[in-house]
Amino acid sequence: MITKEVNDWIKKVEKGNYSSWDIMEEFAQMSKYLTDTDIQQIKKRLETSIKR
């Protein structure tokens, strides 16, 4: 289940408020608690936001 914290992280990534290192570091910490479905949803959301 995608939590508020994950949604906040996604919004920060979409807005460019993170360095690449910070993005990956925080994702690694969160990924322990995410299902494969959650990760696929995050990936799809980020792919669509980057294409804009």
Side-chain angles (χ1 to χ4, degrees):
M1 178 179 189
I2 296 178
T3 63
K4 179 189 178 306
E5 290 82 7
V6 174
N7 276 322
D8 291 344
W9 175 83
I10 291 170
K11 289 176 187 174
K12 289 177 184 176
V13 171
E14 290 173 334
K15 291 179 182 179
N17 293 345
Y18 274 131
S19 70
S20 297
W21 180 257
D22 291 339
I23 289 169
M24 294 309 298
E25 189 174 308
E26 197 163 330
F27 182 76
Q29 292 173 1
M30 289 186 303
S31 66
K32 299 180 232 179
Y33 308 104
L34 299 172
T35 65
D36 289 340
T37 305
D38 295 338
I39 293 171
Q40 292 300 320
Q41 289 175 338
I42 292 167
K43 179 182 174 186
K44 186 174 182 177
R45 181 169 168 187
L46 291 175
E47 283 177 341
T48 58
S49 70
I50 291 171
K51 291 179 184 176
R52 290 183 192 170

